[in-house]
């Protein structure tokens, strides 16, 4: 059961596709007050839990911290943060009373989840026009299904997008990509995709290819495909301002870039230097941008990742000038310690500044709308622009597309990745915790940068992280420019990596069919244990294991120097260790166990009476035999 309540005249975010009658706000069961901002306030019981909010730091149970819905180019995913790249405004309160709440509102929201007052939830909207959806269901999973039903079916990528993928900011020359391909194949390491980061472009211009690096790009793409490798280029939100660059000139002439208050193009600096920000909230601009992907699709490209679309703004021309002026005012004067901090703040404050987000505008049906009021839709609409265009032109399930920034609704046409994490052990666990939360919001095709983006990886960290990645729909190893090489063949003997990656391919038939079912049935692929065992006190508190599909539970090792871990079994299960073609099975009783797991083993727990299919290992999805399967138990 879903009830919809409306205040003011909300912006159409396109998140909900089901037509639902609007109920009288007098019947809204949660305390609603309307001052300058709309505020929802309600109390919950001491042991109640709160799930949801998609991509966010901290626990699976979100109670006890204060979060913000504000798509942020935030590279430090530490516990003090309030927001990351996505704005996923859906929670489920789980206690004696169980209900879901979706706040459909595209500007900033503060979610004080029993942080200021230990039993009070206070949700503050930066505005007074919004739709609220209050959702009841049999249990937590049922509530999520009700919600997912009204927001529409989740995106399904092509089958090959379930293969292992290698990425690195820094692969530039053709030879770099060929080396990655050959090193995987020669070391018995499976691979389906290699990513092209900004280095492939001509001066970081979207939809261009550097001809010095790729003299015949189409032939190169074809050759990779003949070797069963898909090349996946990045597309950034900002379009470089450059004379003679057709995308920029056309966008400018048609008025498709975001504007300053005086009607001129808003300009800011990102990787390419000064860019125009396409006005993805304008329907014509959105369609126009979607059609630009043809430039690469026509050369045989069948997958893309959309980046910097919160939008990330290193500086605006105005903002930088103001900071420079501050420096000029101080220059030559005696600077005390506070003066020094003033300089530092002036410079640091230039990046992703609220002043900038408040100072540019979208043209929506002829009306100027301040970016700040619709901020959380920007990246989602960029990706929908591409996703909708692809579906129309090529049909469903033909193109891989995923995004860094997102809002609920984008889950129908694309996936997401979790952005710039670190090569930290704690980020394996953070990766695990985000999976059920983003599934609740419809994002099924998702994953983190395996091995970690920032910082230097270690061999054991990568191996352990891959044993979680084996189960995530997007299984991509990615790292930042200048960090330690992170491909599976960079650490001496490749056998252990080959053992782990082979397990992914053995499990693809299971992972893929579970994924499809979850998309078709509005279900979650990953669930907290508490969703399945609501009366089990221990299961309710588990934050480092997940239920997968209807058959399994996963519990990866995520700590350094550990040869195993403690795991809680909420019922009798088979403990399976998969490694290459080897399978070890042990029956375990409900309760707490210490399990030992070697670096080349993938631990998996299967419920009694359930069975999962295994394929023979393969070096890519094209060579995977999905017909002749054996069963694990
Ligand atoms: C951003 C992306 C990252 C990418 C980099 C360079 O930081 O999140 O994945 O490698 O930009 O394009």
């Amino acid at each position: 059961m879903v009830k919809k309540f409306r205040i003011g005249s909300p912006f159409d975010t396109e998140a909900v596709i089901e037509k639902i009658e609007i109920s009288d706000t007098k019947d809204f069961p949660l305390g609603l007050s309307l001052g300058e901002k709309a505020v929802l306030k309600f109390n919950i019981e001491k042991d109640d839990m709160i799930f949801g909010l998609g991509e966010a730091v901290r626990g699976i149970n979100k109670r006890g911290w204060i979060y913000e819905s504000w798509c942020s180019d935030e590279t430090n995913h530490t516990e003090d943060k309030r927001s990351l790249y996505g704005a996923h405004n859906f929670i489920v309160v789980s206690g004696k009373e169980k209900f879901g709440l979706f706040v459909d509102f595209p500007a900033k929201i503060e979610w004080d989840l029993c942080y200021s007052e230990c039993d009070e939830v206070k949700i503050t909207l930066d505005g007074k026009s919004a739709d609220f959806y209050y959702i009841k269901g049999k249990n937590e999973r049922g509530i999520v299904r009700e919600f997912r039903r009204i927001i529409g079916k989740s995106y399904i990528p092509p089958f090959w997008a379930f293969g292992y993928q290698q990425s690195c900011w820094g692969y530039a020359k053709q030879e770099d990509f060929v080396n990655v391909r050959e090193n995987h194949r020669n070391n018995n390491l499976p691979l389906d995709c290699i990513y092209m980061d900004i280095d492939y472009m001509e001066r970081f211009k979207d939809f261009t290819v550097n001809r010095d690096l790729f003299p015949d790009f189409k032939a190169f793409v074809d050759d990779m495909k003949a070797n069963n490798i898909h090349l996946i280029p990045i597309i950034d939100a900002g379009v470089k301002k450059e004379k003679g660059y057709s995308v920029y000139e056309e966008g400018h002439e048609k008025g498709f870039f975001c504007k300053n208050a005086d009607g001129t193009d808003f300009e800011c600096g990102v990787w390419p230097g000064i860019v125009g920000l396409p006005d993805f909230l304008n329907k014509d601009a959105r369609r126009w941008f979607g059609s630009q992907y043809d430039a690469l699709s026509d050369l045989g490209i069948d997958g893309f990742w959309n980046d910097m679309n919160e939008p990330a703004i290193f500086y605006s021309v105005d903002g930088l000038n103001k900071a420079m002026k501050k420096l000029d005012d101080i220059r030559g004067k005696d600077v005390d310690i506070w003066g020094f901090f003033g300089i530092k703040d002036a410079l640091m404050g230039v990046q992703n500044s609220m002043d900038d987000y408040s100072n540019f505008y979208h043209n929506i049906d002829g009306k100027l709308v301040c970016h700040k009021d619709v901020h959380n839709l920007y990246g989602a609409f960029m990706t929908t622009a591409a996703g909708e265009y692809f579906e129309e032109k090529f049909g469903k399930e033909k193109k891989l597309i995923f995004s860094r920034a997102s809002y609920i609704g984008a889950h129908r046409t694309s996936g997401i990745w979790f952005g710039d994490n670190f090569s930290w052990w704690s980020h394996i666990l953070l990766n695990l915790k985000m999976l059920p939360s983003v599934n609740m919001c419809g994002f099924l095709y998702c994953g983190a940068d395996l091995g970690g983006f920032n910082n230097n990886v270690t061999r054991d960290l990568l191996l352990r992280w891959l044993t979680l990645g084996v189960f995530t729909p997007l299984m991509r190893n990615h790292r930042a420019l200048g960090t330690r090489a992170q491909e599976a063949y960079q650490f001496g003997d490749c056998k252990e990596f080959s053992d782990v990656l082979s397990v992914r391919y053995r499990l693809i038939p299971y992972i893929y069919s579970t994924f499809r079912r979850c998309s078709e049935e509005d279900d979650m692929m990953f669930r907290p244990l508490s969703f399945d065992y609501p009366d089990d006190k221990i299961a309710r508190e588990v934050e480092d294991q997940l239920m997968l599909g209807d058959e399994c539970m996963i519990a990866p090792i995520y700590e350094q120097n550990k040869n195993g871990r403690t795991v809680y079994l909420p019922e009798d299960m088979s403990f399976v260790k998969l490694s290459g073609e080897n399978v070890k099975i042990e029956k375990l009783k409900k309760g707490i166990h210490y399990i030992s797991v070697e670096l080349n083993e993938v631990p998996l727990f299967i419920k009694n009476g359930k069975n999962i299919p295994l394929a023979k290992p393969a070096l890519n999805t094209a060579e995977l035999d999905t017909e002749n399967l054996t069963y694990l138990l």
Side-chain angles (χ1 to χ4, degrees), residues 73 75 85 167-170 196-199 234 236 271 305 307-308 310 314 404 417-421 449 453-454 476 478-481:
D73 167 27
T75 200
Y85 310 90
S167 182
C168 165
W169 173 13
M196 311 188 84
D197 207 315
I198 47 176
D199 323 80
I234 195 170
D236 280 357
W271 299 124
W305 49 310
D307 192 23
M308 308 303 275
E310 294 71 32
F314 292 166
R404 195 169 74 171
W417 98 100
F418 302 157
D420 300 348
N421 55 11
D449 288 349
F453 176 76
N454 293 297
R476 183 180 80 144
H478 178 50
R479 71 172 172 96
L481 187 69

mmCIF file of all heavy atoms in Angstrom, residues 73 75 85 167-170 196-199 234 236 271 305 307-308 310 314 404 417-421 449 453-454 476 478-481, ligand 1:
data_model
loop_
_atom_site.group_PDB
_atom_site.id
_atom_site.type_symbol
_atom_site.label_atom_id
_atom_site.label_comp_id
_atom_site.label_asym_id
_atom_site.label_seq_id
_atom_site.Cartn_x
_atom_site.Cartn_y
_atom_site.Cartn_z
ATOM 1 N N ASP A 73 30.799 15.542 -5.131
ATOM 2 C CA ASP A 73 32.057 15.027 -5.655
ATOM 3 C C ASP A 73 32.965 14.850 -4.432
ATOM 4 O O ASP A 73 33.811 15.695 -4.162
ATOM 5 C CB ASP A 73 32.603 16.065 -6.647
ATOM 6 C CG ASP A 73 34.045 15.819 -7.031
ATOM 7 O OD1 ASP A 73 34.481 14.665 -6.980
ATOM 8 O OD2 ASP A 73 34.736 16.801 -7.387
ATOM 9 N N THR A 75 35.624 12.677 -2.446
ATOM 10 C CA THR A 75 36.567 11.576 -2.644
ATOM 11 C C THR A 75 36.955 10.886 -1.343
ATOM 12 O O THR A 75 37.494 9.790 -1.358
ATOM 13 C CB THR A 75 37.796 12.071 -3.435
ATOM 14 O OG1 THR A 75 38.443 10.950 -3.998
ATOM 15 C CG2 THR A 75 38.733 12.874 -2.573
ATOM 16 N N TYR A 85 27.965 10.565 -3.680
ATOM 17 C CA TYR A 85 27.600 11.017 -5.039
ATOM 18 C C TYR A 85 26.113 10.954 -5.366
ATOM 19 O O TYR A 85 25.638 11.653 -6.246
ATOM 20 C CB TYR A 85 28.343 10.172 -6.074
ATOM 21 C CG TYR A 85 29.823 10.079 -5.809
ATOM 22 C CD1 TYR A 85 30.355 9.062 -5.012
ATOM 23 C CD2 TYR A 85 30.694 11.024 -6.334
ATOM 24 C CE1 TYR A 85 31.711 8.987 -4.761
ATOM 25 C CE2 TYR A 85 32.054 10.960 -6.082
ATOM 26 C CZ TYR A 85 32.554 9.935 -5.281
ATOM 27 O OH TYR A 85 33.895 9.874 -5.035
ATOM 28 N N SER A 167 40.132 -1.418 -15.261
ATOM 29 C CA SER A 167 40.146 0.011 -15.549
ATOM 30 C C SER A 167 41.359 0.652 -14.890
ATOM 31 O O SER A 167 41.916 0.102 -13.928
ATOM 32 C CB SER A 167 38.859 0.634 -14.997
ATOM 33 O OG SER A 167 38.790 1.994 -15.293
ATOM 34 N N CYS A 168 41.774 1.796 -15.391
ATOM 35 C CA CYS A 168 42.866 2.545 -14.768
ATOM 36 C C CYS A 168 42.884 3.918 -15.404
ATOM 37 O O CYS A 168 42.855 4.048 -16.621
ATOM 38 C CB CYS A 168 44.187 1.825 -15.031
ATOM 39 S SG CYS A 168 45.631 2.815 -14.701
ATOM 40 N N TRP A 169 42.914 4.917 -14.557
ATOM 41 C CA TRP A 169 43.089 6.274 -15.067
ATOM 42 C C TRP A 169 44.581 6.381 -15.400
ATOM 43 O O TRP A 169 45.401 6.362 -14.489
ATOM 44 C CB TRP A 169 42.646 7.245 -13.988
ATOM 45 C CG TRP A 169 42.911 8.681 -14.277
ATOM 46 C CD1 TRP A 169 43.276 9.255 -15.458
ATOM 47 C CD2 TRP A 169 42.820 9.745 -13.337
ATOM 48 N NE1 TRP A 169 43.410 10.595 -15.333
ATOM 49 C CE2 TRP A 169 43.137 10.926 -14.028
ATOM 50 C CE3 TRP A 169 42.494 9.813 -11.983
ATOM 51 C CZ2 TRP A 169 43.153 12.171 -13.396
ATOM 52 C CZ3 TRP A 169 42.514 11.042 -11.361
ATOM 53 C CH2 TRP A 169 42.837 12.210 -12.064
ATOM 54 N N GLY A 170 44.891 6.394 -16.670
ATOM 55 C CA GLY A 170 46.292 6.404 -17.079
ATOM 56 C C GLY A 170 46.552 5.528 -18.300
ATOM 57 O O GLY A 170 47.563 5.729 -18.982
ATOM 58 N N MET A 196 38.284 3.034 -20.709
ATOM 59 C CA MET A 196 39.087 4.143 -21.216
ATOM 60 C C MET A 196 38.732 5.347 -20.354
ATOM 61 O O MET A 196 37.586 5.814 -20.359
ATOM 62 C CB MET A 196 38.736 4.409 -22.681
ATOM 63 C CG MET A 196 38.743 3.135 -23.523
ATOM 64 S SD MET A 196 38.570 3.459 -25.282
ATOM 65 C CE MET A 196 40.263 3.797 -25.718
ATOM 66 N N ASP A 197 39.693 5.814 -19.601
ATOM 67 C CA ASP A 197 39.474 7.008 -18.774
ATOM 68 C C ASP A 197 39.744 8.239 -19.653
ATOM 69 O O ASP A 197 39.991 8.103 -20.858
ATOM 70 C CB ASP A 197 40.372 6.945 -17.525
ATOM 71 C CG ASP A 197 39.781 7.712 -16.342
ATOM 72 O OD1 ASP A 197 39.315 8.842 -16.564
ATOM 73 O OD2 ASP A 197 39.799 7.198 -15.205
ATOM 74 N N ILE A 198 39.735 9.431 -19.063
ATOM 75 C CA ILE A 198 39.800 10.666 -19.855
ATOM 76 C C ILE A 198 40.985 10.755 -20.820
ATOM 77 O O ILE A 198 40.944 11.549 -21.745
ATOM 78 C CB ILE A 198 39.801 11.916 -18.942
ATOM 79 C CG1 ILE A 198 40.790 11.751 -17.784
ATOM 80 C CG2 ILE A 198 38.405 12.160 -18.392
ATOM 81 C CD1 ILE A 198 40.907 12.988 -16.904
ATOM 82 N N ASP A 199 41.998 9.915 -20.603
ATOM 83 C CA ASP A 199 43.212 9.994 -21.424
ATOM 84 C C ASP A 199 42.981 9.681 -22.906
ATOM 85 O O ASP A 199 43.821 9.995 -23.739
ATOM 86 C CB ASP A 199 44.260 9.015 -20.881
ATOM 87 C CG ASP A 199 44.235 8.930 -19.376
ATOM 88 O OD1 ASP A 199 43.358 8.227 -18.820
ATOM 89 O OD2 ASP A 199 45.060 9.596 -18.748
ATOM 90 N N ILE A 234 34.882 6.756 -20.934
ATOM 91 C CA ILE A 234 34.250 7.658 -19.962
ATOM 92 C C ILE A 234 33.662 8.864 -20.697
ATOM 93 O O ILE A 234 34.187 9.270 -21.747
ATOM 94 C CB ILE A 234 35.312 8.124 -18.933
ATOM 95 C CG1 ILE A 234 34.692 8.757 -17.691
ATOM 96 C CG2 ILE A 234 36.292 9.106 -19.562
ATOM 97 C CD1 ILE A 234 35.711 9.002 -16.566
ATOM 98 N N ASP A 236 32.426 12.770 -19.497
ATOM 99 C CA ASP A 236 32.278 13.715 -18.385
ATOM 100 C C ASP A 236 31.140 14.692 -18.669
ATOM 101 O O ASP A 236 30.798 14.932 -19.837
ATOM 102 C CB ASP A 236 33.578 14.498 -18.185
ATOM 103 C CG ASP A 236 34.612 13.679 -17.409
ATOM 104 O OD1 ASP A 236 34.293 12.555 -16.987
ATOM 105 O OD2 ASP A 236 35.732 14.188 -17.222
ATOM 106 N N TRP A 271 38.237 18.877 -15.690
ATOM 107 C CA TRP A 271 39.438 18.332 -16.339
ATOM 108 C C TRP A 271 39.803 19.036 -17.650
ATOM 109 O O TRP A 271 40.972 19.301 -17.914
ATOM 110 C CB TRP A 271 39.294 16.828 -16.621
ATOM 111 C CG TRP A 271 39.099 15.964 -15.413
ATOM 112 C CD1 TRP A 271 38.060 15.113 -15.207
ATOM 113 C CD2 TRP A 271 39.945 15.836 -14.261
ATOM 114 N NE1 TRP A 271 38.193 14.466 -13.995
ATOM 115 C CE2 TRP A 271 39.344 14.901 -13.392
ATOM 116 C CE3 TRP A 271 41.140 16.441 -13.864
ATOM 117 C CZ2 TRP A 271 39.891 14.533 -12.173
ATOM 118 C CZ3 TRP A 271 41.694 16.080 -12.645
ATOM 119 C CH2 TRP A 271 41.078 15.141 -11.821
ATOM 120 N N TRP A 305 30.717 5.032 -19.220
ATOM 121 C CA TRP A 305 30.509 5.436 -17.815
ATOM 122 C C TRP A 305 30.503 6.957 -17.759
ATOM 123 O O TRP A 305 31.356 7.608 -18.334
ATOM 124 C CB TRP A 305 31.508 4.784 -16.871
ATOM 125 C CG TRP A 305 32.976 4.831 -17.232
ATOM 126 C CD1 TRP A 305 33.554 4.499 -18.415
ATOM 127 C CD2 TRP A 305 34.067 5.209 -16.364
ATOM 128 N NE1 TRP A 305 34.921 4.641 -18.355
ATOM 129 C CE2 TRP A 305 35.267 5.064 -17.105
ATOM 130 C CE3 TRP A 305 34.141 5.617 -15.039
ATOM 131 C CZ2 TRP A 305 36.529 5.335 -16.569
ATOM 132 C CZ3 TRP A 305 35.405 5.890 -14.495
ATOM 133 C CH2 TRP A 305 36.570 5.744 -15.254
ATOM 134 N N ASP A 307 30.720 10.484 -15.808
ATOM 135 C CA ASP A 307 31.436 10.937 -14.606
ATOM 136 C C ASP A 307 31.303 12.446 -14.396
ATOM 137 O O ASP A 307 30.846 13.169 -15.272
ATOM 138 C CB ASP A 307 32.913 10.539 -14.747
ATOM 139 C CG ASP A 307 33.673 10.708 -13.447
ATOM 140 O OD1 ASP A 307 33.040 10.707 -12.374
ATOM 141 O OD2 ASP A 307 34.910 10.837 -13.498
ATOM 142 N N MET A 308 31.742 12.889 -13.234
ATOM 143 C CA MET A 308 31.835 14.306 -12.846
ATOM 144 C C MET A 308 30.470 15.002 -12.955
ATOM 145 O O MET A 308 30.373 16.185 -13.235
ATOM 146 C CB MET A 308 32.856 15.051 -13.727
ATOM 147 C CG MET A 308 34.224 14.390 -13.820
ATOM 148 S SD MET A 308 35.008 14.131 -12.213
ATOM 149 C CE MET A 308 35.777 15.716 -11.938
ATOM 150 N N GLU A 310 27.925 15.480 -10.698
ATOM 151 C CA GLU A 310 27.140 15.935 -9.522
ATOM 152 C C GLU A 310 26.529 17.312 -9.749
ATOM 153 O O GLU A 310 25.462 17.540 -9.176
ATOM 154 C CB GLU A 310 28.055 15.947 -8.286
ATOM 155 C CG GLU A 310 28.518 14.569 -7.863
ATOM 156 C CD GLU A 310 29.528 13.918 -8.813
ATOM 157 O OE1 GLU A 310 30.318 14.669 -9.424
ATOM 158 O OE2 GLU A 310 29.512 12.694 -8.963
ATOM 159 N N PHE A 314 35.539 22.226 -10.255
ATOM 160 C CA PHE A 314 36.820 22.529 -9.584
ATOM 161 C C PHE A 314 36.832 24.011 -9.198
ATOM 162 O O PHE A 314 37.238 24.378 -8.128
ATOM 163 C CB PHE A 314 37.998 22.205 -10.488
ATOM 164 C CG PHE A 314 38.171 20.722 -10.757
ATOM 165 C CD1 PHE A 314 39.007 20.281 -11.772
ATOM 166 C CD2 PHE A 314 37.506 19.765 -9.995
ATOM 167 C CE1 PHE A 314 39.171 18.919 -12.018
ATOM 168 C CE2 PHE A 314 37.667 18.408 -10.227
ATOM 169 C CZ PHE A 314 38.494 17.982 -11.251
ATOM 170 N N ARG A 404 28.196 8.137 -12.003
ATOM 171 C CA ARG A 404 28.675 8.388 -10.647
ATOM 172 C C ARG A 404 27.551 9.057 -9.830
ATOM 173 O O ARG A 404 27.155 8.540 -8.804
ATOM 174 C CB ARG A 404 29.926 9.265 -10.673
ATOM 175 C CG ARG A 404 30.642 9.237 -9.348
ATOM 176 C CD ARG A 404 32.006 9.860 -9.401
ATOM 177 N NE ARG A 404 31.944 11.307 -9.489
ATOM 178 C CZ ARG A 404 32.992 12.115 -9.370
ATOM 179 N NH1 ARG A 404 34.204 11.597 -9.186
ATOM 180 N NH2 ARG A 404 32.872 13.423 -9.464
ATOM 181 N N TRP A 417 28.322 3.391 -10.086
ATOM 182 C CA TRP A 417 29.445 2.859 -9.313
ATOM 183 C C TRP A 417 29.677 3.807 -8.155
ATOM 184 O O TRP A 417 29.164 4.922 -8.154
ATOM 185 C CB TRP A 417 30.667 2.616 -10.196
ATOM 186 C CG TRP A 417 31.734 3.666 -10.225
ATOM 187 C CD1 TRP A 417 32.910 3.669 -9.547
ATOM 188 C CD2 TRP A 417 31.754 4.861 -11.045
ATOM 189 N NE1 TRP A 417 33.652 4.792 -9.879
ATOM 190 C CE2 TRP A 417 32.963 5.534 -10.797
ATOM 191 C CE3 TRP A 417 30.855 5.429 -11.952
ATOM 192 C CZ2 TRP A 417 33.298 6.739 -11.422
ATOM 193 C CZ3 TRP A 417 31.190 6.624 -12.573
ATOM 194 C CH2 TRP A 417 32.403 7.255 -12.295
ATOM 195 N N PHE A 418 30.406 3.327 -7.140
ATOM 196 C CA PHE A 418 30.427 4.049 -5.869
ATOM 197 C C PHE A 418 31.540 5.098 -5.757
ATOM 198 O O PHE A 418 31.847 5.557 -4.662
ATOM 199 C CB PHE A 418 30.527 3.054 -4.698
ATOM 200 C CG PHE A 418 29.386 2.042 -4.650
ATOM 201 C CD1 PHE A 418 29.549 0.826 -3.999
ATOM 202 C CD2 PHE A 418 28.169 2.293 -5.257
ATOM 203 C CE1 PHE A 418 28.515 -0.106 -3.950
ATOM 204 C CE2 PHE A 418 27.124 1.376 -5.220
ATOM 205 C CZ PHE A 418 27.297 0.166 -4.561
ATOM 206 N N GLY A 419 32.165 5.452 -6.890
ATOM 207 C CA GLY A 419 33.084 6.586 -6.902
ATOM 208 C C GLY A 419 34.448 6.295 -6.310
ATOM 209 O O GLY A 419 34.872 5.145 -6.179
ATOM 210 N N ASP A 420 35.117 7.382 -5.929
ATOM 211 C CA ASP A 420 36.557 7.334 -5.618
ATOM 212 C C ASP A 420 36.845 6.859 -4.198
ATOM 213 O O ASP A 420 37.173 7.655 -3.317
ATOM 214 C CB ASP A 420 37.170 8.723 -5.811
ATOM 215 C CG ASP A 420 36.999 9.208 -7.241
ATOM 216 O OD1 ASP A 420 36.625 8.401 -8.108
ATOM 217 O OD2 ASP A 420 37.242 10.405 -7.480
ATOM 218 N N ASN A 421 36.781 5.577 -3.972
ATOM 219 C CA ASN A 421 37.137 5.032 -2.659
ATOM 220 C C ASN A 421 38.664 4.957 -2.503
ATOM 221 O O ASN A 421 39.408 5.443 -3.355
ATOM 222 C CB ASN A 421 36.476 3.652 -2.472
ATOM 223 C CG ASN A 421 36.851 2.709 -3.605
ATOM 224 O OD1 ASN A 421 37.746 3.002 -4.400
ATOM 225 N ND2 ASN A 421 36.178 1.580 -3.691
ATOM 226 N N ASP A 449 34.980 0.489 -6.910
ATOM 227 C CA ASP A 449 36.289 0.292 -7.539
ATOM 228 C C ASP A 449 37.029 -0.770 -6.724
ATOM 229 O O ASP A 449 37.510 -0.492 -5.616
ATOM 230 C CB ASP A 449 37.087 1.599 -7.544
ATOM 231 C CG ASP A 449 36.534 2.606 -8.546
ATOM 232 O OD1 ASP A 449 35.671 2.222 -9.370
ATOM 233 O OD2 ASP A 449 36.969 3.774 -8.496
ATOM 234 N N PHE A 453 40.383 2.998 -5.383
ATOM 235 C CA PHE A 453 40.768 3.994 -6.394
ATOM 236 C C PHE A 453 41.998 4.782 -5.941
ATOM 237 O O PHE A 453 43.047 4.744 -6.556
ATOM 238 C CB PHE A 453 39.569 4.924 -6.639
ATOM 239 C CG PHE A 453 39.844 6.062 -7.574
ATOM 240 C CD1 PHE A 453 39.912 5.850 -8.938
ATOM 241 C CD2 PHE A 453 40.023 7.356 -7.097
ATOM 242 C CE1 PHE A 453 40.159 6.908 -9.826
ATOM 243 C CE2 PHE A 453 40.264 8.415 -7.958
ATOM 244 C CZ PHE A 453 40.326 8.190 -9.328
ATOM 245 N N ASN A 454 41.872 5.484 -4.819
ATOM 246 C CA ASN A 454 42.987 6.278 -4.300
ATOM 247 C C ASN A 454 43.956 5.388 -3.528
ATOM 248 O O ASN A 454 43.565 4.333 -3.031
ATOM 249 C CB ASN A 454 42.455 7.344 -3.337
ATOM 250 C CG ASN A 454 41.618 8.403 -4.043
ATOM 251 O OD1 ASN A 454 42.123 9.127 -4.888
ATOM 252 N ND2 ASN A 454 40.341 8.471 -3.711
ATOM 253 N N ARG A 476 34.492 -4.442 -11.270
ATOM 254 C CA ARG A 476 35.503 -3.650 -11.965
ATOM 255 C C ARG A 476 36.637 -3.250 -11.031
ATOM 256 O O ARG A 476 36.413 -2.699 -9.956
ATOM 257 C CB ARG A 476 34.865 -2.380 -12.543
ATOM 258 C CG ARG A 476 35.845 -1.539 -13.334
ATOM 259 C CD ARG A 476 35.189 -0.298 -13.902
ATOM 260 N NE ARG A 476 35.057 0.755 -12.908
ATOM 261 C CZ ARG A 476 35.179 2.062 -13.166
ATOM 262 N NH1 ARG A 476 35.404 2.463 -14.408
ATOM 263 N NH2 ARG A 476 35.044 2.951 -12.214
ATOM 264 N N HIS A 478 39.519 -0.671 -10.571
ATOM 265 C CA HIS A 478 39.861 0.659 -11.109
ATOM 266 C C HIS A 478 40.761 1.384 -10.123
ATOM 267 O O HIS A 478 40.638 1.204 -8.910
ATOM 268 C CB HIS A 478 38.573 1.458 -11.339
ATOM 269 C CG HIS A 478 38.787 2.853 -11.855
ATOM 270 N ND1 HIS A 478 39.596 3.142 -12.932
ATOM 271 C CD2 HIS A 478 38.266 4.052 -11.454
ATOM 272 C CE1 HIS A 478 39.588 4.457 -13.160
ATOM 273 N NE2 HIS A 478 38.797 5.023 -12.278
ATOM 274 N N ARG A 479 41.673 2.206 -10.640
ATOM 275 C CA ARG A 479 42.564 2.950 -9.746
ATOM 276 C C ARG A 479 42.882 4.324 -10.331
ATOM 277 O O ARG A 479 42.698 4.562 -11.530
ATOM 278 C CB ARG A 479 43.850 2.176 -9.512
ATOM 279 C CG ARG A 479 44.754 2.127 -10.732
ATOM 280 C CD ARG A 479 46.101 1.509 -10.385
ATOM 281 N NE ARG A 479 46.911 1.271 -11.564
ATOM 282 C CZ ARG A 479 47.842 2.106 -11.996
ATOM 283 N NH1 ARG A 479 48.056 3.250 -11.378
ATOM 284 N NH2 ARG A 479 48.560 1.807 -13.071
ATOM 285 N N ALA A 480 43.399 5.183 -9.472
ATOM 286 C CA ALA A 480 43.712 6.558 -9.877
ATOM 287 C C ALA A 480 45.101 6.640 -10.501
ATOM 288 O O ALA A 480 45.980 5.819 -10.225
ATOM 289 C CB ALA A 480 43.644 7.485 -8.672
ATOM 290 N N LEU A 481 45.275 7.651 -11.295
ATOM 291 C CA LEU A 481 46.555 7.991 -11.901
ATOM 292 C C LEU A 481 47.618 8.123 -10.798
ATOM 293 O O LEU A 481 47.360 8.734 -9.761
ATOM 294 C CB LEU A 481 46.379 9.353 -12.602
ATOM 295 C CG LEU A 481 47.488 9.898 -13.458
ATOM 296 C CD1 LEU A 481 47.634 9.054 -14.724
ATOM 297 C CD2 LEU A 481 47.168 11.349 -13.844
HETATM 298 C C1 LIG B 1 36.944 10.915 -11.197
HETATM 299 C C2 LIG B 1 36.316 9.529 -11.290
HETATM 300 C C3 LIG B 1 37.393 8.489 -11.483
HETATM 301 C C4 LIG B 1 38.203 8.837 -12.727
HETATM 302 C C5 LIG B 1 38.788 10.234 -12.622
HETATM 303 C C6 LIG B 1 39.480 10.684 -13.899
HETATM 304 O O1 LIG B 1 37.704 11.048 -10.051
HETATM 305 O O2 LIG B 1 35.544 9.241 -10.162
HETATM 306 O O3 LIG B 1 36.843 7.210 -11.584
HETATM 307 O O4 LIG B 1 39.232 7.906 -12.882
HETATM 308 O O5 LIG B 1 37.762 11.170 -12.332
HETATM 309 O O6 LIG B 1 38.616 10.698 -14.973
#
